[in-house]
Amino acid sequence: MPTESLHYAEKIDDATNYIRQRITSRPRVAIILGTGLGKLATYIKPEATLPYGEIPHLPQSTALSHQGQFVIGSLEGIPVIAMQGRFHLYEGYPLSDAVLPVCIMQKLGADILIVSNASGGVNPQFSGGDIMVINSHINLMFQRQPELAGNEVIPKSQDQPGTLIYDRELIGLAIRAGRKHDFCIHQGCYVSLSGPNYETRSEYRMVRKIGGDVVGMSTVPEVLTAYSLQMRVLALSAVTNVAKPDAPSETTAEEVVDIARLAEPKLMAIVTEVLEAL
Ligand code: HPA
């Protein structure tokens, strides 16, 4: 094992042991709550709330509307661990720090990851407040994933049946939740950029041209990490602004947070559907 990954494995162990000493449950589902979506954690019957700054090797979360803590407890009777806030590359964290919590949550016992984010829509059929379930992505972050101990880096197809990153059964459950509660759920492709700026209109055009439906600054590193750890992944994107490159308007971070909040009840309905199916 390379020294670097030994060090990384130790970080995961230290953080996991710290958390284990403070809980009795074994989380089955890990949930990452993105921009404006942190309120979902308030539905969890908490066993422990642990700020990231308290946990060995985790940095503080600084992004707008990100509280920066793990909430561990039960939701719909299922033991879960939720991240209220995440680490973004645009905050200056190395990718290995940004994905460390995923490794920790998996080590604690979670074998499903539900990840959420706020995104900009480039598909003209989308509106602010819509939810898109991610069924593919285009990774434009150009960063190397950390080598995880015991997971050799063997290039493999990410999009063939049997090796799909985005779990089809979980996508089906998300769509069922939309039908049940009478809201529309799109399926599509998330394009990840490192940010921190929202895109120029030329960049929005490019994202649409290369096959993207939405664009955002997170999620893909976490999803790839979960995938390499054999977790089943459901990724949900709250569309907060829809880019109209030919009639451009300004996107502000505050607007993104406000509209993401509108999507929160939909996200909760989907998470509930998934947990009820376990
Ligand atoms: N671009 C990138 N990330 C985003 C956007 C956007 O337009 N909206 C919310 N997150």
Side-chain angles (χ1 to χ4, degrees):
M1 192 191 305
T3 330
E4 199 188 313
S5 55
L6 182 67
H7 186 51
Y8 199 65
E10 279 172 352
K11 283 186 182 181
I12 297 168
D13 281 343
D14 288 350
T16 306
N17 290 336
Y18 180 90
I19 297 171
R20 273 206 192 115
Q21 281 160 16
R22 283 152 185 85
I23 58 171
T24 55
S25 62
R26 181 181 161 86
R28 286 180 66 188
V29 177
I31 307 172
I32 302 179
L33 300 168
T35 304
L37 300 166
K39 191 173 147 238
L40 198 139
T42 61
Y43 299 108
I44 296 172
K45 210 163 112 205
E47 186 186 357
T49 300
L50 303 172
Y52 300 145
E54 186 179 293
I55 295 166
H57 313 299
L58 279 191
Q60 298 275 354
S61 176
T62 59
L64 183 73
S65 145
H66 284 247
Q67 257 159 315
Q69 57 188 15
F70 282 117
V71 180
I72 304 157
S74 72
L75 188 61
E76 302 295 326
I78 304 285
V80 300
I81 176 162
M83 289 180 71
Q84 250 181 336
R86 58 151 60 84
F87 304 108
H88 300 88
L89 301 187
Y90 66 73
E91 293 170 272
Y93 299 119
L95 191 134
S96 55
D97 278 2
V99 301
L100 184 59
V102 175
C103 302
I104 295 165
M105 295 191 291
Q106 190 265 347
K107 189 104 193 201
L108 285 168
D111 58 10
I112 292 182
L113 175 69
I114 304 177
V115 48
S116 65
N117 62 52
S119 64
V122 291
N123 183 328
Q125 292 178 350
F126 292 3
S127 305
D130 283 357
I131 297 272
M132 187 192 89
V133 56
I134 301 175
N135 63 15
S136 189
H137 68 234
I138 297 173
N139 186 355
L140 298 184
M141 286 171 153
F142 305 113
Q143 301 254 342
R144 195 171 188 279
Q145 289 288 123
E147 229 168 283
L148 301 176
N151 279 287
E152 279 179 81
V153 182
I154 302 168
K156 58 184 172 185
S157 165
Q158 300 179 134
D159 246 354
Q160 296 302 313
T163 60
L164 285 172
I165 297 179
Y166 299 98
D167 188 282
R168 279 195 278 198
E169 200 184 319
L170 296 179
I171 291 176
L173 289 172
I175 299 212
R176 195 162 84 185
R179 251 186 239 131
K180 227 191 226 178
H181 297 274
D182 203 21
F183 60 86
C184 147
I185 298 194
H186 308 289
Q187 278 191 66
C189 173
Y190 178 92
V191 176
S192 64
L193 294 168
S194 336
N197 298 316
Y198 296 123
E199 292 65 33
T200 62
R201 50 183 160 153
S202 303
E203 286 165 338
Y204 281 126
R205 276 195 199 101
M206 174 197 74
V207 168
R208 183 67 186 146
K209 262 195 185 144
I210 63 174
D213 294 291
V214 299
V215 56
M217 307 176 201
S218 65
T219 303
V220 169
E222 296 150 348
V223 162
L224 290 175
T225 301
Y227 175 68
S228 77
L229 294 170
Q230 273 109 47
M231 297 175 87
R232 295 171 66 199
V233 175
L234 176 66
L236 304 163
S237 199
V239 181
T240 55
N241 50 291
V242 178
K244 297 188 181 70
D246 296 318
S249 59
E250 200 189 356
T251 302
T252 67
E254 289 74 17
E255 222 171 65
V256 164
V257 172
D258 287 347
I259 310 262
R261 285 201 181 113
L262 293 180
E264 209 163 44
K266 298 178 189 175
L267 198 75
M268 185 59 199
I270 297 169
V271 171
T272 303
E273 188 74 27
V274 170
L275 296 178
E276 279 176 352
L278 291 182

mmCIF file of all heavy atoms in Angstrom, residues 118-120 198-199 204 215-217 240-241 256, ligand 1:
data_model
loop_
_atom_site.group_PDB
_atom_site.id
_atom_site.type_symbol
_atom_site.label_atom_id
_atom_site.label_comp_id
_atom_site.label_asym_id
_atom_site.label_seq_id
_atom_site.Cartn_x
_atom_site.Cartn_y
_atom_site.Cartn_z
ATOM 1 N N ALA A 118 -27.486 21.758 -5.136
ATOM 2 C CA ALA A 118 -28.190 22.788 -5.892
ATOM 3 C C ALA A 118 -27.453 22.934 -7.215
ATOM 4 O O ALA A 118 -26.230 22.824 -7.262
ATOM 5 C CB ALA A 118 -28.158 24.100 -5.128
ATOM 6 N N SER A 119 -28.206 23.141 -8.287
ATOM 7 C CA SER A 119 -27.539 23.234 -9.588
ATOM 8 C C SER A 119 -28.203 24.283 -10.466
ATOM 9 O O SER A 119 -29.322 24.724 -10.200
ATOM 10 C CB SER A 119 -27.596 21.875 -10.294
ATOM 11 O OG SER A 119 -28.948 21.548 -10.573
ATOM 12 N N GLY A 120 -27.486 24.635 -11.515
ATOM 13 C CA GLY A 120 -28.044 25.525 -12.532
ATOM 14 C C GLY A 120 -28.543 24.678 -13.689
ATOM 15 O O GLY A 120 -27.815 23.822 -14.202
ATOM 16 N N TYR A 198 -20.258 31.136 -10.750
ATOM 17 C CA TYR A 198 -21.265 30.610 -11.648
ATOM 18 C C TYR A 198 -20.744 30.843 -13.063
ATOM 19 O O TYR A 198 -19.823 31.625 -13.291
ATOM 20 C CB TYR A 198 -22.614 31.297 -11.406
ATOM 21 C CG TYR A 198 -23.166 31.029 -10.017
ATOM 22 C CD1 TYR A 198 -23.466 32.067 -9.148
ATOM 23 C CD2 TYR A 198 -23.353 29.723 -9.574
ATOM 24 C CE1 TYR A 198 -23.942 31.816 -7.869
ATOM 25 C CE2 TYR A 198 -23.831 29.460 -8.302
ATOM 26 C CZ TYR A 198 -24.124 30.504 -7.442
ATOM 27 O OH TYR A 198 -24.590 30.249 -6.189
ATOM 28 N N GLU A 199 -21.372 30.177 -14.029
ATOM 29 C CA GLU A 199 -20.798 30.138 -15.369
ATOM 30 C C GLU A 199 -21.059 31.418 -16.178
ATOM 31 O O GLU A 199 -22.039 32.119 -15.957
ATOM 32 C CB GLU A 199 -21.375 28.920 -16.130
ATOM 33 C CG GLU A 199 -20.914 27.579 -15.585
ATOM 34 C CD GLU A 199 -21.388 27.290 -14.176
ATOM 35 O OE1 GLU A 199 -22.504 27.733 -13.823
ATOM 36 O OE2 GLU A 199 -20.633 26.648 -13.425
ATOM 37 N N TYR A 204 -22.321 28.148 -20.014
ATOM 38 C CA TYR A 204 -23.643 27.490 -19.970
ATOM 39 C C TYR A 204 -23.967 26.853 -21.325
ATOM 40 O O TYR A 204 -24.460 25.732 -21.398
ATOM 41 C CB TYR A 204 -24.745 28.499 -19.598
ATOM 42 C CG TYR A 204 -24.843 28.827 -18.117
ATOM 43 C CD1 TYR A 204 -24.797 30.157 -17.680
ATOM 44 C CD2 TYR A 204 -25.019 27.830 -17.157
ATOM 45 C CE1 TYR A 204 -24.904 30.475 -16.330
ATOM 46 C CE2 TYR A 204 -25.128 28.146 -15.805
ATOM 47 C CZ TYR A 204 -25.072 29.469 -15.395
ATOM 48 O OH TYR A 204 -25.185 29.776 -14.060
ATOM 49 N N VAL A 215 -25.687 22.036 -14.204
ATOM 50 C CA VAL A 215 -24.270 22.226 -13.900
ATOM 51 C C VAL A 215 -24.131 22.596 -12.421
ATOM 52 O O VAL A 215 -24.978 23.306 -11.877
ATOM 53 C CB VAL A 215 -23.635 23.298 -14.837
ATOM 54 C CG1 VAL A 215 -24.383 24.618 -14.770
ATOM 55 C CG2 VAL A 215 -22.165 23.518 -14.523
ATOM 56 N N GLY A 216 -23.093 22.089 -11.797
ATOM 57 C CA GLY A 216 -22.868 22.379 -10.382
ATOM 58 C C GLY A 216 -21.413 22.205 -10.011
ATOM 59 O O GLY A 216 -20.574 21.877 -10.864
ATOM 60 N N MET A 217 -21.125 22.429 -8.720
ATOM 61 C CA MET A 217 -19.721 22.473 -8.281
ATOM 62 C C MET A 217 -19.403 21.431 -7.208
ATOM 63 O O MET A 217 -18.505 21.633 -6.388
ATOM 64 C CB MET A 217 -19.398 23.867 -7.733
ATOM 65 C CG MET A 217 -19.749 24.995 -8.668
ATOM 66 S SD MET A 217 -19.440 26.568 -7.899
ATOM 67 C CE MET A 217 -20.475 27.652 -8.867
ATOM 68 N N THR A 240 -31.907 25.387 -9.236
ATOM 69 C CA THR A 240 -32.230 26.656 -8.567
ATOM 70 C C THR A 240 -32.343 27.817 -9.542
ATOM 71 O O THR A 240 -33.026 28.793 -9.275
ATOM 72 C CB THR A 240 -31.148 27.000 -7.516
ATOM 73 O OG1 THR A 240 -29.892 27.002 -8.162
ATOM 74 C CG2 THR A 240 -31.156 26.002 -6.387
ATOM 75 N N ASN A 241 -31.668 27.721 -10.666
ATOM 76 C CA ASN A 241 -31.726 28.789 -11.667
ATOM 77 C C ASN A 241 -31.596 28.117 -13.021
ATOM 78 O O ASN A 241 -30.931 27.092 -13.140
ATOM 79 C CB ASN A 241 -30.576 29.785 -11.451
ATOM 80 C CG ASN A 241 -29.234 29.091 -11.322
ATOM 81 O OD1 ASN A 241 -28.962 28.397 -10.350
ATOM 82 N ND2 ASN A 241 -28.396 29.269 -12.320
ATOM 83 N N VAL A 256 -29.921 31.157 -4.988
ATOM 84 C CA VAL A 256 -29.728 29.708 -5.099
ATOM 85 C C VAL A 256 -30.187 29.029 -3.802
ATOM 86 O O VAL A 256 -30.918 28.033 -3.820
ATOM 87 C CB VAL A 256 -28.241 29.394 -5.420
ATOM 88 C CG1 VAL A 256 -27.902 27.937 -5.167
ATOM 89 C CG2 VAL A 256 -27.932 29.763 -6.870
HETATM 90 N N1 HPA B 1 -23.834 26.937 -11.781
HETATM 91 C C1 HPA B 1 -23.093 26.183 -10.944
HETATM 92 N N2 HPA B 1 -23.526 25.797 -9.747
HETATM 93 C C2 HPA B 1 -24.749 26.161 -9.376
HETATM 94 C C3 HPA B 1 -25.570 26.948 -10.187
HETATM 95 C C4 HPA B 1 -25.085 27.354 -11.466
HETATM 96 O O1 HPA B 1 -25.747 28.056 -12.243
HETATM 97 N N3 HPA B 1 -26.743 27.138 -9.512
HETATM 98 C C5 HPA B 1 -26.619 26.491 -8.333
HETATM 99 N N4 HPA B 1 -25.418 25.888 -8.238
#
